[in-house]
Amino acid sequence: MSVRSRLRATVPAPLPSSQAGPPEITGPPGRRLLVQRSDDEILARPLDDAFAARAGATARFPAPWPRRRGTWEVAPDATLAVFAGVHAVRAVDPSGAALWEVRHGCWSGGCEEIHESYESYADRRDHRYPESGSVGFPSHRPHRSGAPSWPSPMLSPICAGSVGWGR
């Protein structure tokens, strides 16, 4: 069986490729976002069902550490972003204010310190492998009251280096 594909839309990247990673389209239908991460921030732009940018503000989330130092995810309503780094998982709002943070030991196992800031280990050679760990948001619909179900800081470990959202 063959399947024919066709171009449905083009979506320009919000940040230049020389300064950021590749753009991604995230979120469930009706809550799609175009997101892109640079060393300094995540930019999240709402998209309509035809993948055109929606009218309204683009959310920018200041990043606590460079993009090569962990993973990240933006909530489907673009009210917060979560960064999973070598020594912490941190949720921030668009102003950059930390909503919560969970510090943890180093993913590489070679460091037993709980660092106070990214700067305290940024140049250390034993902190070069940050590609472990993950963060995410549930894809289910908001609670029937209309309130989103994801801003809860209830965390439960899924496995070493990963954090999941509790229900």
Side-chain angles (χ1 to χ4, degrees):
M1 179 173 101
S2 64
V3 177
R4 298 185 86 170
S5 63
R6 64 184 173 127
L7 179 64
R8 297 280 313 252
T10 58
V11 183
L15 299 169
S17 62
S18 62
Q19 299 173 6
E24 299 176 26
I25 296 176
T26 67
R31 292 189 156 205
R32 299 226 190 270
L33 296 171
L34 174 64
V35 294
Q36 194 172 17
R37 171 79 153 87
S38 72
D39 279 343
D40 302 321
E41 68 180 346
I42 294 175
L43 186 140
R45 180 174 293 156
L47 300 173
D48 65 17
D49 289 338
F51 297 97
R54 283 189 188 165
T58 295
R60 293 177 179 268
F61 300 91
W65 41 76
R67 64 187 154 130
R68 70 184 186 284
R69 291 292 191 161
T71 61
W72 54 272
E73 190 65 57
V74 176
D77 65 353
T79 56
L80 69 112
V82 178
F83 297 85
V86 176
H87 280 279
V89 178
R90 181 183 301 171
V92 300
D93 68 16
S95 75
L99 302 173
W100 51 262
E101 180 175 275
V102 177
R103 292 190 184 138
H104 55 77
C106 187
W107 291 334
S108 72
C111 174
E112 296 181 13
E113 297 177 54
I114 302 294
H115 295 281
E116 294 295 318
S117 68
Y118 168 71
E119 290 75 20
S120 69
Y121 63 88
D123 296 325
R124 288 182 49 177
R125 296 183 74 70
D126 61 344
H127 289 74
R128 289 191 174 197
Y129 305 101
E131 52 279 336
S132 296
S134 62
V135 293
F137 291 90
S139 61
H140 58 79
R141 300 240 178 235
H143 187 269
R144 66 178 170 263
S145 69
S149 57
W150 46 83
S152 169
M154 299 294 292
L155 299 172
S156 60
I158 295 173
C159 62
S162 298
V163 172
W165 290 92
R167 284 189 166 196

